[in-house]
Amino acid sequence: GAVVSQHPSRVICKSGTSVKIECRSLDFQATTMFWYRQFPKKSLMLMATSNEGSKATYEQGVEKDKFLINHASLTLSTLTVTSAHPEDSSFYICSARVGPGNTEAFFGQGTRLTVV
Amino acid sequence: EDQVTQSPEALRLQEGESSSLNCSYTVSGLRGLFWYRQDPGKGPEFLFTLYSAGEEKEKERLKATLTKKESFLHITAPKPEDSATYLCAVSRAGYSTLTFGKGTMLLVSP
């Protein structure tokens, strides 16, 4: 299957700082990428959908000013958690679809964010 | 609103003991049903896509089936390395997003 690389896999940051997470499609061009958040023993919660060259679409209840998403190229999307607080600590996962007509989504390895 | 319910929440099997995981879904205009495997601290790994009732797909010890209301993931003679959380998700026609179930945590003991 297609490969999606997410970096970093783990990050610890101080409260009030910002942290950027990168999601890259390595062997295909991803017109659409998705960002999820996962709490312990819970399923994936979709945060936002990003389309290359346009603004991201955020799910209800997700603060767009706190979770900045940029999809500047067909192989890279970034999620920046701004002014992080301990409650933002979570497992963040990105995914990408191979093409608009393809329903299959492939996931990155995930990023464990800990805000202290 | 699309809904995906997986059962059981957790399943413990002995090595070689076959069983099935269930995924019940409610979606207006199913475009696809997906099975993923997730290991602790990792992102989901794609297993199967099913598009229409009656469809079946196999991969090693896993076989996924689909009806109009549910999907089953059959695990034949499981091994300890099959231990993981198995996630089911659906996509609706005209939408690019997936709706996930909460998953079934499978533990296979040697």
Side-chain angles (χ1 to χ4, degrees), chain A residues 103-104, chain B residues 25 27 29-35 48-57 64-72 89-91:
Chain A
T103 58
E104 294 167 1
Chain B
Y25 64 91
V27 61
L30 178 72
R31 185 177 184 189
L33 184 141
F34 307 85
W35 282 98
F48 304 108
T49 308
L50 301 168
Y51 294 102
S52 57
E55 189 175 1
E56 298 182 352
K57 287 193 177 174
T65 62
L66 180 66
T67 72
K68 288 186 178 180
K69 294 184 178 180
E70 59 191 349
S71 176
F72 291 93
V90 297
S91 68

Side-chain angles (χ1 to χ4, degrees), chain B residues 19-82:
Chain B
S19 188
S20 296
L21 312 182
N22 178 265
C23 171
S24 298
Y25 64 91
T26 303
V27 61
S28 178
L30 178 72
R31 185 177 184 189
L33 184 141
F34 307 85
W35 282 98
Y36 289 88
R37 169 191 170 130
Q38 187 176 25
D39 292 301
K42 304 288 185 181
E45 174 190 344
F46 172 78
L47 293 174
F48 304 108
T49 308
L50 301 168
Y51 294 102
S52 57
E55 189 175 1
E56 298 182 352
K57 287 193 177 174
E58 288 187 66
K59 180 181 179 180
E60 297 180 356
R61 296 178 291 282
L62 301 176
K63 178 180 176 180
T65 62
L66 180 66
T67 72
K68 288 186 178 180
K69 294 184 178 180
E70 59 191 349
S71 176
F72 291 93
L73 184 64
H74 306 279
I75 303 177
T76 302
K79 298 182 178 182
E81 52 262 42
D82 295 322

Side-chain angles (χ1 to χ4, degrees), chain B residues 93-105:
Chain B
Y95 290 79
S96 62
T97 57
L98 297 177
T99 300
F100 279 87
K102 293 183 178 180
T104 294
M105 186 183 301

Side-chain angles (χ1 to χ4, degrees), chain A:
Chain A
V3 179
V4 176
S5 178
Q6 189 172 339
H7 179 80
S9 57
R10 291 178 177 272
V11 59
I12 300 173
C13 70
K14 291 186 177 181
S15 190
T17 62
S18 296
V19 62
K20 181 185 285 187
I21 302 169
E22 292 188 347
C23 179
R24 295 181 183 273
S25 56
L26 296 186
D27 52 0
F28 66 99
Q29 293 184 328
T31 54
T32 306
M33 288 187 171
F34 307 87
W35 288 95
Y36 293 84
R37 184 173 179 176
Q38 189 174 33
F39 295 98
K41 297 188 178 181
K42 298 289 185 182
S43 190
L44 282 73
M45 182 190 79
L46 180 66
M47 298 174 65
T49 302
S50 73
N51 292 294
E52 186 266 337
S54 61
K55 290 186 178 181
T57 302
Y58 290 82
E59 295 299 302
Q60 191 173 7
V62 178
E63 298 176 61
K64 60 180 67 178
D65 293 331
K66 179 164 193 62
F67 299 100
L68 300 179
I69 292 172
N70 183 278
H71 193 160
S73 77
L74 286 171
T75 59
L76 175 64
S77 177
T78 60
L79 167 67
T80 301
V81 183
T82 64
S83 188
H85 288 98
E87 56 264 32
D88 298 325
S89 298
S90 191
F91 192 55
Y92 293 88
I93 314 172
C94 71
S95 76
R97 294 173 61 204
V98 177
N102 195 314
T103 58
E104 294 167 1
F106 297 90
F107 287 79
Q109 307 95 315
T111 297
R112 171 68 61 192
L113 170 63
T114 304
V115 184
V116 298

